Amino acid sequence: MFRRRLRRHPIRRLKELLWPSAGWRRSTVYLAHRLRRLPGTPYSIAAGFACGAALAVTPFIGFHFVAAALLAWLIRGSLLAAAFGTLIGNPWTYPPIFLWTYHLGNWMLGDGGTSPVPEELTLGGLIEHPFQALLPMAVGSVPTAAFVGAATFWAVRAAVTGYRRARRRLAPGSGR
């Protein structure tokens, strides 16, 4: 009932994933509306989104959703909001996130790091010596994840609470 009449070619679907035809602004606004309308308390939505956003800055790409869902479940957050939160990590945001966590991790480890780090972070260096970059990135992602999680928790909680308060005020039969 809700499927397309003509299926999109896989290359077209990939292009839509990397660059939406509706535009980034419309896609972001749509995602924000979906997030505010999720079922649950403002705490559960904000906690779930914060878990997803925090774990999206870690270098363990294949495990973001699973780890975010587990953490959200442990703190009684929304699993669906955790899935939305992991969308912070995407092909456009991963390069600056990983560069930031790499440099922060190098700074935190200093010369006393347990593994030698490459002088320059290049794609070839990552392929040849993945663990030399993974350790600084993992260390640097811890404070980054804490900051991102706290910031998104308070922002999403305020947005959901304000949105619901405004909807109650404008609802029919609310005295206005």
Side-chain angles (χ1 to χ4, degrees), residues 65-130:
F65 176 71
V66 174
L70 180 63
L71 184 59
W73 178 75
L74 286 173
I75 64 170
R76 306 254 191 262
S78 169
L79 300 180
L80 193 54
F84 279 134
T86 60
L87 294 176
I88 285 185
N90 59 60
W92 295 101
T93 59
Y94 279 136
I97 288 171
F98 288 162
L99 279 172
W100 166 256
T101 58
Y102 175 76
H103 288 299
L104 181 62
N106 270 341
W107 178 77
M108 290 174 68
L109 290 172
D111 293 331
T114 57
S115 79
V117 290
E119 289 183 13
E120 286 189 34
L121 185 61
T122 61
L123 184 59
L126 284 175
I127 292 171
E128 292 173 16
H129 309 287

Side-chain angles (χ1 to χ4, degrees), residues 6 9 13 17 26 54 57 62 68 73 98 100 106 113 120 153 175:
L6 300 173
H9 193 270
R13 289 196 327 235
L17 180 68
R26 184 176 171 102
V57 300
W73 178 75
F98 288 162
W100 166 256
N106 270 341
E120 286 189 34
F153 174 80

Side-chain angles (χ1 to χ4, degrees), residues 151-168:
T152 56
F153 174 80
W154 293 110
V156 170
R157 187 173 180 185
V160 170
T161 302
Y163 179 78
R164 289 182 178 181
R165 190 176 296 132
R167 282 192 55 130
R168 274 195 309 269

